[in-house]
């Protein structure tokens, strides 16, 4: 199943569950993927889709740093929740054992 197909199915699930945080993060991801596809004038390949997801996660992490520095912990918590949703679309990170074995 491609990222786009999984995203569409997860959007439907989030709408039915009335999960606002997940729905917001998924809509943001879908929009970013669509914009990147329009920018490239073609469908994105899997690597490009992962780049978009990584960019969104990086943006959220930067926002968390800024919100926490400003004392806006409720907004930082919202960004952390969005990162948790986006992480589901990224491949699992390598463990320390895998890194030392390589």
């Amino acid at each position: 199943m491609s990222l786009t197909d999984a995203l569409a199915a997860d959007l439907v699930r989030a709408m039915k569950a009335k999960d606002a945080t997940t729905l917001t993060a998924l809509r943001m991801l879908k929009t970013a993927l669509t914009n990147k596809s329009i920018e490239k004038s073609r469908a994105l390949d899997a690597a490009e889709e992962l780049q978009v997801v990584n960019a969104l996660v990086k943006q959220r992490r930067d926002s968390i740093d800024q919100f926490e520095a400003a004392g806006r912990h409720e907004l930082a918590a919202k960004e952390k929740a969005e990162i948790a949703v986006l992480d589901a679309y990224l491949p699992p990170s390598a463990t320390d054992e895998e890194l030392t074995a390589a």
Side-chain angles (χ1 to χ4, degrees):
M1 180 186 280
S2 73
L3 178 69
T4 307
D5 295 337
L7 181 60
D10 291 345
L11 265 168
V12 170
R13 263 187 246 115
M15 281 187 231
K16 287 181 180 178
K18 296 182 177 159
D19 184 352
T21 303
T22 302
L23 193 57
T24 300
L26 295 179
R27 283 180 173 160
M28 173 192 53
L29 176 57
K30 183 177 179 184
T31 300
L33 289 169
T34 302
N35 288 341
K36 190 66 160 182
S37 178
I38 290 169
E39 178 185 315
K40 298 237 178 214
S41 300
R42 61 177 170 78
L44 301 177
D45 61 25
E48 291 169 330
E49 290 175 339
L50 288 178
Q51 285 176 340
V52 171
V53 177
N54 277 321
L56 291 175
V57 169
K58 184 180 181 309
Q59 288 174 355
R60 303 275 100 48
R61 287 194 176 119
D62 291 343
S63 295
I64 289 169
D65 292 340
Q66 292 174 2
F67 288 142
E68 287 180 346
R72 301 294 307 267
H73 301 291
E74 70 283 356
L75 293 175
K78 178 181 173 280
E79 296 292 328
K80 288 177 185 175
E82 289 179 1
I83 287 175
V85 172
L86 294 172
D87 276 342
Y89 295 95
L90 293 173
S93 300
T95 63
D96 290 335
E97 292 174 6
E98 293 172 341
L99 292 174
T100 56

